[in-house]
Amino acid sequence: MGRIRTAIGLMSGTSMDGIDVALVKTDGEGVVERGPAVGVAYDPAFRKRLQAALETAKTIARREERPGDLADVERDLTLRHAAAIASFLDANGLTKADVDVIGFHGQTVLHRPEQGLTVQLGDGGLLAGESGIDVVYDMRANDMAHGGQGAPLIPVYHAALARNLPADCAFPVVFVNIGGISNLTYIGPDGAIVAFDSGPGNTLIDQWVEAQAGIPFDQGGMIASEGRAVAGLAARYLDHPFFTAPERRSLDRNDFSPPAGGEATLEDGARTLAHVTAAAILKSAGHLPERPKTYVVCGGGRLNQVIMGDLAGLASDRGAKVIPAEAAGLDGDSLEAEAWAYLAVRALDGLPLTFPGTTGVRAPVSGGVVAKAERGAVSDA
């Protein structure tokens, strides 16, 4: 067993709605003690700047480039993360001396695995200096340098959690994260890990209701619950070659686009896209080694009752049950941030973050860059 460290994980996902902060005590292997967690929302003006940054980032050809105002956005994003840490420590009666490391995801603004290119805004050195705590960041790049897709990185944490699931969670178990993009982690009865992105998550729904009604997301699936699924529109998404391609690949939020304004009413569009989110998960699960028996659902999408209802119905038809993370004793809001804390500890110990069965990397590899708080120095993990 390795040294047990106290780590804070920071996650700002593809939904770009804020920062999740979570504390974990772990050896980066089988010991996981989950601590407090909090979500810190971005103000609407900054969220708009992040959305604009996605467009600017399309011109990036090399990871270190920061065209337009991206350098300013990166600095402001990092300072918001530093403020979130300071507030979190204060709220939980902790000091920087109580924390060994921060796992900093940053904000993905470009992800093109076919070009070996992934860009997460976030200045690890600045965050280390502001927080006074060592930071591990840029954890996707080394995987890509060794032939991987750069995503998903969380499966190794799912595997650690799977060791302590309730007895009624039959294996194979699949952890489903429904964020902006959905992804699956399969844990076989023998502990085998297979993981990949499964399709659109909340992003299409968010984009649809924002464009049609000026609402940032469909809270609880309330809008979708008033509509009906438009079969032809759903089929257009589910017939996408992504689902039938022999090789799994990681998705960028631009791989799927929301419907045009005239293709459905507000409610029917939200209902159709909720169905697409659920059906995409089951369709992608067809690429797994065995048919799952339990789906544990994490991420914001688990709060959309229409997605969950469709997912439960489709899974039941295949002999599986669907439960939200909370029914498995987990926190579906903080799980990704917890994973980033866990990954930071693994990175410090040189343990693999990714595997051939998760990202397609040629062999298990570690990764991440360490920014030391006391010197602002930066080195490979």
Side-chain angles (χ1 to χ4, degrees), residues 250-315:
S250 59
L251 290 166
D252 182 80
R253 59 178 280 141
N254 298 312
D255 285 327
F256 291 87
S257 300
E263 291 190 272
T265 65
L266 169 66
E267 295 81 4
D268 288 356
R271 179 69 187 85
T272 303
L273 294 172
H275 174 73
V276 166
T277 296
I281 290 163
L282 270 294
K283 198 157 188 178
S284 289
H287 294 275
L288 294 170
E290 287 182 56
R291 186 172 280 192
K293 292 184 180 172
T294 307
Y295 290 88
V296 180
V297 187
C298 317
R302 82 192 188 290
L303 304 176
N304 184 313
Q305 296 307 308
V306 177
I307 294 174
M308 290 296 281
D310 279 10
L311 186 58
L314 292 167

Side-chain angles (χ1 to χ4, degrees), residues 59-67 117-119:
T59 65
I60 293 176
R62 293 189 308 279
R63 289 180 51 253
E64 63 275 10
E65 291 177 0
R66 296 293 183 266
L117 181 61
T118 188
V119 179

Side-chain angles (χ1 to χ4, degrees), residues 35 48 133 155 165 181 204 235 326 350 366:
K48 282 190 166 56
I133 303 168
L165 287 174
I181 291 163
L204 290 178
E326 287 69 20
S366 193

Side-chain angles (χ1 to χ4, degrees), residues 34-236:
R34 296 166 44 247
V38 71
V40 181
Y42 289 137
D43 58 276
F46 187 68
R47 192 161 180 254
K48 282 190 166 56
R49 287 178 68 197
L50 283 180
Q51 289 170 334
L54 294 175
E55 288 302 311
T56 308
K58 288 178 181 178
T59 65
I60 293 176
R62 293 189 308 279
R63 289 180 51 253
E64 63 275 10
E65 291 177 0
R66 296 293 183 266
D69 66 344
L70 287 190
D72 288 340
V73 173
E74 181 169 53
R75 178 177 174 79
D76 289 349
L77 176 104
T78 305
L79 293 175
R80 278 170 166 78
H81 279 72
I85 291 168
S87 175
F88 178 80
L89 293 175
D90 186 57
N92 290 286
L94 299 167
T95 70
K96 63 184 181 182
D98 297 317
V99 182
D100 295 299
V101 67
I102 293 167
F104 182 26
H105 179 272
Q107 182 67 55
T108 299
V109 290
L110 189 71
H111 188 69
R112 291 181 177 160
E114 69 283 355
Q115 299 171 19
L117 181 61
T118 188
V119 179
Q120 285 76 45
L121 295 185
D123 184 335
L126 177 60
L127 185 63
E130 290 289 322
S131 66
I133 303 168
D134 292 354
V135 173
V136 178
Y137 67 107
D138 200 14
M139 289 193 233
R140 298 188 188 275
N142 195 47
D143 175 82
M144 284 185 144
H146 290 83
Q149 295 266 316
L153 264 67
I154 294 177
V156 70
Y157 182 58
H158 288 150
L161 294 177
R163 302 180 194 188
N164 297 301
L165 287 174
D168 61 347
C169 290
F171 283 77
V173 170
V174 169
F175 284 84
V176 182
N177 180 60
I178 308 177
I181 291 163
S182 294
N183 50 62
L184 309 179
T185 300
Y186 166 97
I187 313 291
D190 59 353
I193 309 175
V194 176
F196 44 73
D197 285 352
S198 56
N202 301 314
T203 294
L204 290 178
I205 302 169
D206 294 349
Q207 290 173 330
W208 172 256
V209 299
E210 187 147 35
Q212 302 305 310
I215 299 167
F217 62 98
D218 183 8
Q219 185 166 7
M222 286 167 45
I223 297 171
S225 70
E226 299 289 325
R228 62 173 188 84
V230 180
L233 183 57
R236 192 176 82 208

Side-chain angles (χ1 to χ4, degrees), residues 11-13 15-20 39-42 47 50 81 107:
M11 183 69 199
S12 178
S15 297
M16 299 188 301
D17 48 5
I19 304 163
D20 291 326
V40 181
Y42 289 137
R47 192 161 180 254
L50 283 180
H81 279 72
Q107 182 67 55

